[in-house]
Amino acid sequence: VLLAVFAPLFTHYEYDAQDWSSMLQGPSAEHWLGTDNFGRDMYTRILYGARISLLIAVAVVAISSAGGFFIGALAGYFKTLDLIVMRIVDILAGIPSTLLAIALAASFGGGIRNLIVSLGISYMPTCIRIVRSSVLSLRDNEFIEAAISIGAENPRIIFKHIMPNAMSPLIVQSTLNIARTLISSATLSFLGLGVSAPSPEWGAMLSYGRTYIQDYPHMVIVPGLAIIVTTYALNLLGDGLRDALDPHLKY
C-alpha cells in the first residue's frame, strides 16, 4: 500500500513511457524487474498498477459491504422483508460470483467504473447473508427488548443498537473480500472485460504478457507474483482481524 501511494518516490520512470531500445529486457540494475514489449519498466508498472488494483478492490468491498449491511439489517429485523430478500439472495448465491461478475461486466461494458459496479453486485449476497445472520441472533436479546419496552422506534433500534453489534463479522469478511476481489478484478481484466491498456492493471499485464511467456517469462511472473503476495498479505490481515474481533476464538 505504501509503495502504491508513494509510487513516484520509488521510481524515476513513467508507467507508460516507451523505450524501444530497451524492449523485452530481463531484470537488470537499470530495470529491476525487466521491461515489457514496449520497453516500459515493469517495476514502475507494478507500483502504479497496485494503485489501480487496490483501488478497485477497496471500492468493490465498500459497495458490497455498504449495500449488504443495509439490506441484511433490514431483512434480519423485518420478517416479511426477510422472505423476499432471501429468496433473491438464494437465486444470486446459486451463481458463482466470478461468473456473475463476468455476465454483469459483459453487459455494462469495460472500464474501471463498470468493473467496480459488476464486482460490487456479485459480492453483495455474501455480505447480506452475514449481516442477516448477525441481526437474527441479536434481535431477540434482552437489550433489544428493553429498547422496545421504552418505546424506541424501529430505525433507532436498527441503527443505534443492532448495527454496531453486527459490524465485527462484516469487517472480517470485508477484509477477506478485498483479497478475493483483487483476484476477480485481475481475472476480468485478463479476459478483456475490465481495465484496458495502457493502464498498468495487474490482470491486464498478465493478459498481454502471456504471448511472450516462453521467451520472456518475467512479463508474466512479475505481475503474477504481485497478485500472489498482495492476496496472501490481505488474507493474513483478515485472519488476524477475525482472531481479534471474534469473541468465540478468545476462549
Side-chain angles (χ1 to χ4, degrees), residues 14 19 42 60 65 80 93 100 113 127 130 141-142 147 161 164 176 178 191-192 203 213 217 238 246 250:
E14 295 293 333
D19 183 6
M42 292 287 291
V60 167
S65 298
T80 304
L100 179 60
R113 181 181 301 176
C127 297
I130 292 174
N141 284 0
E142 288 80 2
H161 299 288
L176 296 174
I178 293 179
L191 297 175
I213 188 172
D246 191 344
K250 297 181 179 180

Side-chain angles (χ1 to χ4, degrees), residues 64-65 67-76 82 85-86 89 93 123-138 162-163 165-177 180 242 246:
S64 61
S65 298
F69 194 71
F70 182 75
I71 297 173
L74 294 179
D82 183 38
V85 171
M86 292 314 297
V89 170
Y123 279 97
M124 196 175 296
T126 303
C127 297
I128 293 175
R129 283 180 175 273
I130 292 174
V131 175
R132 172 185 173 271
S133 63
S134 298
V135 172
L136 288 176
S137 64
L138 294 169
I162 291 181
M163 282 192 171
N165 290 284
M167 284 289 292
S168 295
L170 185 62
I171 292 175
V172 175
Q173 184 63 35
S174 297
T175 307
L176 296 174
N177 278 346
R180 297 189 182 103
R242 183 188 59 189
D246 191 344

Side-chain angles (χ1 to χ4, degrees), residues 3-232:
L3 288 173
V5 173
F6 301 104
L9 301 178
F10 294 98
T11 179
H12 59 276
Y13 292 103
E14 295 293 333
Y15 72 86
D16 56 351
Q18 301 181 10
D19 183 6
W20 296 98
S21 62
S22 302
M23 59 184 295
L24 297 174
Q25 290 185 0
S28 62
E30 184 177 359
H31 301 284
W32 293 353
L33 299 179
T35 60
D36 64 6
N37 53 317
F38 292 104
R40 298 173 297 193
D41 184 64
M42 292 287 291
Y43 168 71
T44 303
R45 290 181 64 79
I46 288 295
L47 293 185
Y48 282 92
R51 289 183 170 185
I52 300 175
S53 297
L54 292 175
L55 173 63
I56 292 173
V58 172
V60 167
V61 169
I63 291 175
S64 61
S65 298
F69 194 71
F70 182 75
I71 297 173
L74 294 179
Y77 189 78
F78 297 105
K79 294 182 180 180
T80 304
L81 184 61
D82 183 38
L83 295 174
I84 301 174
V85 171
M86 292 314 297
R87 297 298 76 77
I88 298 175
V89 170
D90 288 340
I91 295 173
L92 294 177
I95 306 173
S97 58
T98 302
L99 181 60
L100 179 60
I102 290 175
L104 292 173
S107 301
F108 296 154
I112 294 179
R113 181 181 301 176
N114 292 335
L115 177 62
I116 291 173
V117 173
S118 302
L119 290 173
I121 295 174
S122 65
Y123 279 97
M124 196 175 296
T126 303
C127 297
I128 293 175
R129 283 180 175 273
I130 292 174
V131 175
R132 172 185 173 271
S133 63
S134 298
V135 172
L136 288 176
S137 64
L138 294 169
R139 188 177 61 187
D140 298 327
N141 284 0
E142 288 80 2
F143 68 93
I144 300 298
E145 295 178 358
I148 296 175
S149 66
I150 62 175
E153 297 181 350
N154 287 332
R156 178 178 176 82
I157 294 174
I158 294 173
F159 292 102
K160 183 71 174 178
H161 299 288
I162 291 181
M163 282 192 171
N165 290 284
M167 284 289 292
S168 295
L170 185 62
I171 292 175
V172 175
Q173 184 63 35
S174 297
T175 307
L176 296 174
N177 278 346
I178 293 179
R180 297 189 182 103
T181 304
L182 191 67
I183 297 176
S184 297
S185 63
T187 300
L188 293 179
S189 296
F190 182 85
L191 297 175
L193 298 173
V195 181
S196 57
S199 298
E201 201 274 336
W202 292 342
M205 293 174 67
L206 280 173
S207 180
Y208 64 73
R210 61 180 173 172
T211 307
Y212 305 91
I213 188 172
Q214 292 185 346
D215 298 323
Y216 308 99
H218 70 277
M219 289 188 60
V220 176
I221 293 174
V222 170
L225 284 177
I227 295 173
I228 292 172
V229 171
T230 307
T231 302
Y232 180 67

